[in-house]
Amino acid sequence: MQAAVVTSFNTPPRYADIDAPTGGPADVVVDVVAAGLHPRVRSQADGSHYTSIDELPLIPGIDGVGRGPDRRLRYFVLPDTTRGSMAERTVVDERRSFLLPEDADVIALAAAMNPAMSSWVALRRRIDFRAGQRVLVLGATGNAGRLAIQVARHLGASAVVAAGRDRRRLATLGAVGATATVALDADPDTVAEQLAEGARDVDVVLDYLWGEPAVRAMVALVTAPEPRQKPLTWVQIGSVAGRSAAIPSAALRAARLEIVGSGQGSVTTAKVLAELPTLAREISAGRFTVDAKPVRLADVEQAWRTDAYPNQRVVLLP
Ligand SMILES: NC(=O)c1ccc[n+]([C@@H]2O[C@H](COP(=O)([O-])OP(=O)(O)OC[C@H]3O[C@@H](n4cnc5c(N)ncnc54)[C@H](OP(=O)(O)O)[C@@H]3O)[C@@H](O)[C@H]2O)c1
């Protein structure tokens, strides 16, 4: 069968012929219909993700939509494997998949399930989020951040402040539910002032950045001119601005700040899976704006270039 195949962690996958998977008794072999090229897939393919199993060759892809032997559509999430979804066929554990209606929007699902579940699962399963609370999305201009605004509003957030460095993208976020924006490309003092002013009342931060910008935002929020009375729950989700962050000890003492992470390992697989059918229904119903770019699997090598489709989520079609 044809697949995207990684033979070195230093080069993008190539479209190549490889043996088709067979699977064990508990597995379902699916014909893949669509698979998203998420940052998590890039880090799987370059060996840098914290769950990387360092085995080559590998077929990248962590989720997708496919048709099982019954020809019905299903969405699936794969475990850490070298037989990913960017192939004509892959092997799915039935318990990590669920059936979709025949009219499901397969492109939107392949594009959005992964980025949308980052905020959906965080708000529904990782923390005690309540309707009416206020949210800051740090790193709101990416696919996951943009969906986080929409997910937070959908789940009842009364306000969502969107912070990001790309002003052109930031200007589009009001249309998807942001009630205020903060440009992170300004000088650090201005950013701190704007966060202290515009995001002073937030209850929850959904943080896709980490690194320096997260530290600066944290300090700005907890040391705002008016001391914070209410708790602040900081949910660490992505790390596009830095893998580590030097948080000053005073930040932890100055407010009722609680830092938690949400991702593979900090929420059980069972809890994540329990949320997915509802999220899939909302995505397929067009509840969230999704910027998907369908591309033939044969063009995977070109699509892998990070500047090929800026800000769009590539969906590979075998
Ligand atoms: N924990 C989970 O469950 C989970 C699930 C899904 C995704 N994630 C993580 O969430 C993160 C975002 O994913 P995504 O799907 O949204 O990726 P994406 O669509 O590629 O977006 C990444 C965004 O980050 C911005 N960015 C990069 N460096 C930045 C910086 N220093 N300051 C401000 N913005 C910066 C980029 O904006 P520019 O245009 O300014 O470069 C881009 O808009 C990734 O780390 C991903 O692994 C976590």
Side-chain angles (χ1 to χ4, degrees), residues 39-40 114-115 118 141-145 165-166 208-209 237-241 262-263 311 313:
R40 167 75 179 77
N114 171 270
S118 67
T141 55
N143 284 282
R165 69 178 178 183
D166 178 340
Y208 291 91
L209 299 180
I237 301 177
S239 50
V240 295
S262 183
N311 302 124
R313 180 52 40 92

Side-chain angles (χ1 to χ4, degrees), residues 177-196:
T179 48
T181 57
V182 174
L184 297 178
D185 67 345
D187 71 273
D189 290 344
T190 308
V191 174
E193 259 168 49
Q194 289 189 353
L195 284 170

